[in-house]
Amino acid sequence: MNPVNAAAPSPQTPQNTPPAPPPKVPPPPMRTPAKPPATATTIEQMVKDAYAHKCSDIHIRVGHVPRFRLRGELLPAGEHPKTTQELFEQYLSELLTPGQRKTFAETKELDTAIFYPGLVRCRVNCFDSLNGGAIVLRLISLTIPSIDELKLPQVLKKMILAHQGLILVTGPTGSGKSTTMAAMMRYLNESETKHVVTIEDPIEYVHASQKCLISQREVGLHTHDFYTALRSVLREDPDVILIGEMRDRITIGTALQAAQTGHLVLGTLHTRSAISTINRLLNMYPPEEQEPMKVQILESLVGVIAQLLLPTTDGKRTAVHDILINTPAMKDYLMKGNEDDAFRLMATDTIEGMQIMNVALYEQVINGRITIEDALGVSPDTNDLERRMRTGGYDSSKSPRDWA
């Protein structure tokens, strides 16, 4: 059966026996996969195997053995057969509704989510490629981790309790941005009495309302498109809005409008450093509009959390952060374009919770959580990190670099 629609009666059902009533439909987006024949390899079995091995992603492609991403490495899952075209079609039938199959055939790509009760949720992306059809599944825990469990900086608790403004969580794909935002939302949900509206494509972590009333909307299920949801969100009496990726000027404009009218807005970008995030936003605008947009952004900004995810020495993964808090001094430096001074302020104003990436990497190496090789592999300035390893001190003469 498909995740949300009952299948036709089984061929084995006697003709004089009326078909069983359809099962109760679970609330979207908590869709469960259809059940393929027990003798066939299944997506569900891959998900169980990946979950048991603490893998983060599953990659399936026609002509290849499935691969699991474990601690950042993409490794063949030899216990599963090579994906033939016939097997790929079976996987699609297991994952997608007939309507989604039609959409995928027309658009050649599809985003959705699927739910395995008691196990895990998966974000699903189906796409066509030169070598054939492909599916990527991102495994998402049913349990939302806390800020403390993830060992995230405590300043994130202060940031999520801000009454209004813009919080940006940035980093490359697969750096754990969604998990960090989910942990912040959990803290808010346990601490405040607010209305939170999320616009996601698709929904990843599912939040049960506690002190907060949380309304999660998935593009394609609860709204026709992202922009329609953005236009209506301010009429839904939100206190906090999570809008996912700041993908274009329409999104940025809506986020700024919400942040300037008394709402707290969370969004993501694919940048590797906090300071470069401001430039990335401005570069979406033509040169003549950048100066007024800089004023709007800096008047609204609460802070930027730039994140990387690294393997730990105990077989897990940990996040390291570049954190910019938009204090009056920081706003003044950024408004004037003094990025060197802004960088030095991030490195020294630890009372406000700011930090630079190399300090975070240095502390993780000293504490034995990550190796020096892994730290140097992602460091924005390897010479500076090596100097810190030798001296343990801060070189105030260093200048920032654009690490985007």
Side-chain angles (χ1 to χ4, degrees):
M1 55 183 268
N2 284 313
V4 294
N5 297 317
S10 168
Q12 288 75 29
T13 303
Q15 294 301 311
N16 59 352
T17 302
K24 184 178 180 181
V25 178
M30 304 292 281
R31 297 189 296 276
T32 55
K35 295 293 184 183
T39 56
T41 184
T42 66
I43 295 288
E44 182 174 2
Q45 188 57 53
M46 285 189 215
V47 170
K48 288 179 178 178
D49 293 345
Y51 180 80
H53 290 90
K54 296 180 170 48
C55 299
S56 62
D57 301 85
I58 301 171
H59 287 249
I60 300 167
R61 183 164 300 173
V62 171
H64 294 263
V65 171
R67 302 188 186 202
F68 294 172
R69 187 174 294 280
L70 177 63
R71 302 178 69 214
E73 294 187 52
L74 203 56
L75 307 173
E79 64 272 24
H80 296 282
K82 181 186 292 186
T83 303
T84 62
Q85 184 61 41
E86 180 182 9
L87 196 52
F88 184 76
E89 294 296 326
Q90 176 184 300
Y91 292 156
L92 291 178
S93 296
E94 182 182 351
L95 289 171
L96 307 180
T97 66
Q100 290 172 327
R101 290 290 305 270
K102 181 180 178 182
T103 299
F104 179 46
E106 293 171 351
T107 64
K108 306 301 182 184
E109 54 194 359
L110 180 80
D111 285 311
T112 186
I114 201 159
F115 173 54
Y116 294 92
L119 184 67
V120 72
R121 280 177 58 83
C122 292
R123 186 181 71 198
V124 182
N125 177 261
C126 307
F127 62 98
D128 256 345
S129 73
L130 178 65
N131 299 318
I135 303 170
V136 178
L137 297 97
R138 165 67 54 84
L139 276 64
I140 302 167
S141 173
L142 299 181
T143 303
I144 299 172
S146 70
I147 289 175
D148 292 333
E149 288 168 349
L150 294 174
K151 297 181 172 59
L152 299 176
Q154 293 298 299
V155 70
L156 271 60
K157 295 179 180 179
K158 179 180 178 182
M159 293 174 72
I160 195 60
L161 296 182
H163 294 296
Q164 70 179 75
L166 177 65
I167 298 173
L168 297 173
V169 181
T170 78
T173 300
S175 60
K177 298 185 295 295
S178 296
T179 302
T180 293
M181 287 204 299
M184 295 172 72
M185 294 297 294
R186 171 179 166 173
Y187 184 77
L188 178 70
N189 197 14
E190 295 170 344
S191 306
E192 297 287 310
T193 53
K194 295 184 176 181
H195 182 208
V196 180
V197 178
T198 77
I199 304 170
E200 301 173 75
D201 186 17
I203 289 173
E204 297 188 23
Y205 287 96
V206 175
H207 297 266
S209 297
Q210 297 180 36
K211 285 190 173 183
C212 288
L213 177 63
I214 300 182
S215 305
Q216 293 185 262
R217 308 189 68 198
E218 179 171 322
V219 175
L221 282 176
H222 312 119
T223 180
H224 290 297
D225 56 64
F226 192 80
Y227 303 111
T228 301
L230 277 178
R231 286 196 300 268
S232 67
V233 68
L234 294 180
R235 298 191 294 269
E236 295 161 8
D237 189 32
D239 299 294
V240 180
I241 305 168
L242 189 152
I243 60 174
E245 185 180 349
M246 308 285 280
R247 57 187 72 185
D248 51 38
R249 286 186 286 178
I250 295 176
T251 310
I252 296 170
T254 304
L256 291 175
Q257 179 186 356
Q260 291 166 354
T261 54
H263 306 85
L264 182 65
V265 182
L266 282 80
T268 67
L269 276 173
H270 293 93
T271 56
R272 294 177 67 92
S273 79
I275 291 178
S276 67
T277 298
I278 311 300
N279 293 328
R280 177 65 61 86
L281 287 176
L282 292 176
N283 287 338
M284 293 185 185
Y285 291 84
E288 64 273 14
E289 296 182 25
Q290 290 184 6
E291 198 58 33
M293 286 309 305
K294 179 191 283 189
V295 174
Q296 288 193 51
I297 292 169
L298 293 177
E299 286 296 329
S300 304
L301 188 67
V302 174
V304 182
I305 306 157
Q307 177 168 303
L308 297 175
L309 203 59
L310 294 175
T312 59
T313 53
D314 59 357
K316 300 178 183 178
R317 292 200 290 177
T318 190
V320 289
H321 301 89
D322 202 42
I323 299 177
L324 181 155
I325 305 298
N326 194 28
T327 62
M330 177 61 71
K331 184 188 300 184
D332 184 60
Y333 287 144
L334 293 175
M335 199 74 76
K336 295 175 180 177
N338 294 339
E339 294 187 359
D340 287 6
D341 290 333
F343 181 83
R344 280 191 281 268
L345 183 61
M346 285 177 59
T348 56
D349 195 357
T350 55
I351 294 176
E352 292 289 344
M354 287 193 259
Q355 69 178 29
I356 60 174
M357 184 64 72
N358 268 1
V359 168
L361 291 169
Y362 167 77
E363 290 176 351
Q364 293 282 2
V365 172
I366 291 301
N367 292 332
R369 290 275 290 157
I370 63 175
T371 66
I372 181 63
E373 291 79 14
D374 284 334
L376 289 170
V378 300
S379 170
D381 187 337
T382 55
N383 291 333
D384 174 66
L385 182 58
E386 289 174 339
R387 187 180 304 109
R388 290 178 188 278
M389 296 305 301
R390 291 194 302 269
T391 66
Y394 170 67
D395 184 352
S396 60
S397 67
K398 298 299 291 182
S399 297
R401 298 182 179 181
D402 186 357
W403 306 321

